[in-house]
Amino acid sequence: MVGPTFKTVNTSSTIHFVASDWTARRALLEVTPVEQSATIPLLRKLISSAIKSKTGKDIGLAAITTDGALNMTGSAEQISGDTLWCVCHRLHLVVVGSISADREVAGIIDQIRTICKAFRGSTELSCLLRNAQDVSRPLRFSIDMPTRWNSTYTMFSKFLRLYHVLLSL
């Protein structure tokens, strides 16, 4: 019988902190390839090792920031004892919930999404849009994605910037 095989994945550890001059800082601690099951003891060891290699000290872990998914939250709580929800993910949930609660706004967003998809999916429409813009770096429409917290905003803001070009077509 052959044992389980694992796909190599890269884990990345970042640190976010307030420096002595009160400026918010962030840094990539380490990217580590993992070729085994990412167990809690392994993750705890990788995080501690990354902190120590970057700072030269054994600094306690206060909390781990997650997107709120149950598997992530559970793992983070076992590793650090506390978790924080990512503010961007929380904001995304508020925006998505607000849009879906208002039928008129949801309809407008759906129409914008349909237009953006049409332009992104058609070479002919993409060329028309590019040629209609009198700039060296023409914009393209974006399509929002449910897992990208700022993608609806990006789609909407690009649509607004291209609206006058769209009307000229």
Side-chain angles (χ1 to χ4, degrees):
M1 185 161 120
V2 177
T5 58
F6 296 98
K7 177 182 171 186
T8 301
V9 295
N10 288 321
T11 63
S12 56
S13 301
T14 59
I15 187 169
H16 304 259
F17 59 97
V18 177
S20 59
D21 63 354
W22 293 99
T23 57
R25 302 284 175 95
R26 65 177 182 251
L28 175 67
L29 291 175
E30 196 167 75
V31 176
T32 309
V34 176
E35 298 177 6
Q36 60 196 34
S37 179
T39 63
I40 299 301
L42 175 66
L43 293 174
R44 187 179 290 125
K45 179 182 169 189
L46 290 174
I47 293 167
S48 296
S49 172
I51 292 171
K52 189 168 185 172
S53 72
K54 205 62 145 183
T55 65
K57 300 175 184 173
D58 284 321
I59 297 174
L61 188 59
I64 294 178
T65 304
T66 72
D67 62 2
L70 288 178
N71 65 330
M72 298 276 297
T73 304
S75 299
E77 285 175 353
Q78 287 187 38
I79 293 169
S80 70
D82 198 7
T83 62
L84 300 172
W85 265 58
C86 173
V87 173
C88 297
H89 281 89
R90 286 278 183 161
L91 177 61
H92 173 72
L93 293 174
V94 169
V95 170
V96 168
S98 299
I99 289 171
S100 62
D102 188 320
R103 286 187 179 170
E104 186 176 351
V105 172
I108 292 168
I109 296 292
D110 284 341
Q111 289 175 357
I112 291 171
R113 186 179 296 116
T114 300
I115 292 168
C116 292
K117 282 182 179 180
F119 275 85
R120 295 283 300 198
S122 167
T123 305
E124 185 178 331
L125 289 176
S126 293
C127 287
L128 278 172
L129 182 66
R130 185 173 48 250
N131 293 335
Q133 297 176 64
D134 191 24
V135 293
S136 60
R137 294 184 63 187
L139 288 175
R140 293 179 57 189
F141 285 114
S142 293
I143 302 171
D144 61 340
M145 299 173 66
T147 57
R148 297 268 166 88
W149 70 269
N150 64 344
S151 65
T152 302
Y153 170 77
T154 301
M155 179 185 72
F156 190 70
S157 66
K158 280 190 174 183
F159 180 84
L160 286 178
R161 293 190 315 205
L162 290 167
Y163 185 69
H164 69 283
V165 177
L166 188 60
L167 290 177
S168 72
L169 296 174

